[in-house]
Amino acid sequence: MTETETLDRNRPETATATGGERKRGIDRVIILLEALLRQRAPMRVGDIARRIGAPRSTTYEIVNRLLEADMLETVGTDGHVYFGRAMHLFGWAYSHHNAHYPRIIETLDRLAAETGETVQLCSLRGNKYVVLDCRDSAGPFRISSQVGVEVPIPWTASGRLLLSHMDEDAVRAFIPPEDYRLPDGRWLPQEEFLAAIALARQQGYSESAALADRFTWCLAAPILDGRGAMTLTLCFVLPIDTPEARRIELLALLRERAASLGLVGE
Amino acid sequence: MTETETLDRNRPETATATGGERKRGIDRVIILLEALLRQRAPMRVGDIARRIGAPRSTTYEIVNRLLEADMLETVGTDGHVYFGRAMHLFGWAYSHHNAHYPRIIETLDRLAAETGETVQLCSLRGNKYVVLDCRDSAGPFRISSQVGVEVPIPWTASGRLLLSHMDEDAVRAFIPPEDYRLPDGRWLPQEEFLAAIALARQQGYSESAALADRFTWCLAAPILDGRGAMTLTLCFVLPIDTPEARRIELLALLRERAASLGLVGE
DNA sequence: CATTTTTGTCCGATATACTAGACAGCGCGT
DNA sequence: ACGCGCTGTCTAGTATATCGGACAAAAATG
């Protein structure tokens, strides 16, 4: 049994607080940061200790060191901490390492501004889907999405595109069985998912209605990187009652913009 | 100055990083990430080890752990690593924790789009100045700025604003003496700097010509947070030959937009 | 006011994370 | 071919980082 199982993304997050084990500081740090990301709000040291199953003394030690390094910062007056400025800089460096990341963001902005719809930049993280950035629609019934929250791949239109480089066996091995269970409790048949991937591959886009929830219609188009790999998608999240004519129009726009971002690669 | 000194502002010791000192993994991680930030480019593990003064075996151990956690990711085929996706998510969470951060970014975008000039969002990190985000002017002689690079506070117009809540003694204690030495070798008299801070406080903006370099004219205006503290500034970086009339116009625009971002606090 | 819970800090003991060094495989220049 | 430098992995030994628990002070509770 390897102790590196610690931060695996499949962890149900509740248990695993099995005390008694001694862990490396670096592991604690990683677990701590991921716990903060899940919480999406400042936490107090005591709560963090409980959440990550670490001794209080250890947690104080680590939190204080991270505060010194600006990777965490205190929020408010009663001992809450959250991500610090250094994280912003590291993240910025990550994003902008890809030389045309600014162009992608500009496209995201323009799509949102021109259409007024919710637009997302999506990708994979491990065997989960994540939103890397988004622009929320401004309407009264805004559909907003959470950057950084991990979602089972089968729940998403983008996921079908992002897996389209894999063959069926690879997909079967990659997706944990429980991820086929949709939020409403239905089970998505694996064969249906595989067929959807094949369709996405063939069409060069993906569309899903009432998949992750009953109220949204998602359109996704791939951004090809310099080597032709498909690691990012642009995605519209529309109200499900969006008229077909508009959906078609938006899909065309999305595909055009996404395509224009690719190929220019290194 | 040896590179192994990295950027620890608090620990005066270290110095001979080559010595056989044993360090905690968590410290290594922090030093490693800051080294990567400075480098602003993917590095190979061997180079990292040398740069941060850590044993190779330790460096491999740490890098592999961070790769697992997605805090680093491999770039290319020959063992280069750089920040990973998790960093983006942590940094995004940091930025957007402030509820009106999106409004600030939108303002940054609009200022850049409307004026075509370089615009920056600035702040402090420890006793240094950093650019948190920027939009570079598109002109042929673009003045571009590096997000995340730490700069001595006296070199910047924004710095004068960001220190305006301190009294003179506090400033004297806060700024390391060598930071008064400008990039061209001139020494900025401390009294002159203190006077500039007082002026900035009184005017509610700050302006500097040919300070950090001979070719730029900087305009900075504060963004007040919910409690009236001044932790962020908006800043134009103009070519030094920008006509006065235009500078006045831009300053007014900048102050207006920056002011409109404040006060709406929590 | 008394009682309970939580916070932040400190300390000694010991399990272990880090280090030094070795090793095989690879690429490169001569 | 050879030597040289670099990479990535592995191992054993020990300096030390982590842990449990204790403590006072501060909040929360009744």
Side-chain angles (χ1 to χ4, degrees), chain A residues 3-7 9 24-27 29-31 33-34 37 40-42 61-62 65-66 68-71 73 75 82-97 101 105 109 123-126 130-135 145-150 231-232, chain B residues 9-11 24-27 29-31 33-34 36-37 40-42 61-63 65-66 68-71 73 75-76 82-97 101 105 109 123-126 130-135 145-150 231-232:
Chain A
E3 63 287 348
T4 49
E5 296 172 2
T6 50
L7 90 148
R9 349 188 166 290
R24 303 198 291 178
I26 171 172
D27 291 329
V29 168
I30 290 167
I31 294 170
L33 294 175
E34 301 208 321
L37 183 64
R40 315 219 113 235
E61 169 72 23
I62 289 177
R65 186 67 188 86
L66 293 178
E68 254 181 68
D70 235 351
M71 291 178 59
E73 83 187 19
V75 176
Y82 202 51
F83 296 111
R85 192 145 291 171
M87 288 304 190
H88 174 84
L89 302 177
F90 298 154
W92 201 96
Y94 166 77
S95 308
H96 290 258
H97 170 240
Y101 182 80
I105 293 303
D109 283 331
S123 183
L124 297 185
R125 184 177 176 206
V130 289
V131 178
L132 291 183
D133 208 338
C134 68
R135 298 294 177 270
S145 51
Q146 288 277 36
V147 167
V149 172
E150 302 190 341
T231 58
L232 297 172
Chain B
R9 39 187 145 282
N10 299 327
R11 266 157 311 151
R24 303 198 289 177
I26 171 172
D27 290 328
V29 167
I30 289 168
I31 294 171
L33 294 175
E34 302 206 319
L36 258 191
L37 182 63
R40 315 218 115 239
E61 168 74 22
I62 289 177
V63 166
R65 187 68 187 86
L66 293 179
E68 255 181 67
D70 233 351
M71 291 178 61
E73 86 188 18
V75 176
Y82 202 52
F83 296 111
R85 193 146 288 173
M87 287 304 190
H88 175 85
L89 302 178
F90 298 153
W92 200 97
Y94 165 77
S95 308
H96 290 258
H97 170 240
Y101 181 81
I105 293 303
D109 283 331
S123 183
L124 298 185
R125 184 176 176 207
V130 289
V131 178
L132 290 183
D133 208 338
C134 69
R135 298 293 177 273
S145 50
Q146 287 278 36
V147 166
V149 172
E150 303 192 338
T231 59
L232 297 173

Side-chain angles (χ1 to χ4, degrees), chain B residues 5-242:
Chain B
E5 293 179 7
T6 66
L7 71 148
D8 50 355
R9 39 187 145 282
N10 299 327
R11 266 157 311 151
E13 36 92 2
T14 53
T16 60
T18 56
E21 282 192 24
R22 183 170 174 153
K23 279 211 170 109
R24 303 198 289 177
I26 171 172
D27 290 328
R28 300 278 191 209
V29 167
I30 289 168
I31 294 171
L32 189 161
L33 294 175
E34 302 206 319
L36 258 191
L37 182 63
R38 285 207 164 184
Q39 186 75 9
R40 315 218 115 239
M43 298 175 76
R44 278 178 305 169
V45 185
D47 295 326
I48 295 177
R50 211 169 309 116
R51 170 71 61 88
I52 69 177
R56 258 164 23 86
S57 53
T58 305
T59 309
Y60 272 102
E61 168 74 22
I62 289 177
V63 166
N64 285 332
R65 187 68 187 86
L66 293 179
L67 285 171
E68 255 181 67
D70 233 351
M71 291 178 61
L72 295 181
E73 86 188 18
T74 61
V75 176
T77 58
D78 51 352
H80 285 81
V81 299
Y82 202 52
F83 296 111
R85 193 146 288 173
M87 287 304 190
H88 175 85
L89 302 178
F90 298 153
W92 200 97
Y94 165 77
S95 308
H96 290 258
H97 170 240
N98 183 339
H100 45 247
Y101 181 81
R103 292 202 310 123
I104 294 176
I105 293 303
E106 189 196 329
T107 300
L108 197 68
D109 283 331
R110 285 178 52 206
L111 278 173
E114 293 169 13
T115 67
E117 305 290 351
T118 294
V119 197
Q120 303 176 327
L121 175 67
C122 308
S123 183
L124 298 185
R125 184 176 176 207
N127 59 9
K128 293 286 188 288
Y129 156 100
V130 289
V131 178
L132 290 183
D133 208 338
C134 69
R135 298 293 177 273
D136 290 339
S137 75
F141 302 106
R142 64 193 297 168
I143 297 170
S144 72
S145 50
Q146 287 278 36
V147 166
V149 172
E150 303 192 338
V151 170
I153 297 175
W155 297 10
T156 69
S158 292
R160 286 149 174 71
L161 281 171
L162 293 166
L163 296 189
S164 64
H165 64 96
M166 291 188 179
D167 65 31
E168 301 207 336
D169 283 340
V171 172
R172 270 189 274 261
F174 192 59
I175 304 290
E178 63 273 20
D179 281 9
Y180 290 101
R181 188 186 148 95
L182 300 176
D184 60 5
R186 284 152 50 213
W187 285 86
L188 179 71
Q190 189 179 58
E191 294 312 314
E192 199 174 299
F193 182 56
L194 293 172
I197 293 174
L199 181 65
R201 174 165 43 227
Q202 180 211 318
Q203 290 180 143
Y205 68 87
S206 179
E207 197 166 13
S208 69
L211 189 61
D213 69 72
R214 285 186 300 131
F215 312 107
T216 57
W217 189 300
C218 295
L219 306 176
I223 302 175
L224 299 177
D225 72 13
R227 292 176 303 286
M230 183 189 301
T231 59
L232 297 173
T233 63
L234 281 179
C235 178
F236 273 126
V237 183
L238 308 174
I240 194 141
D241 58 1
T242 305

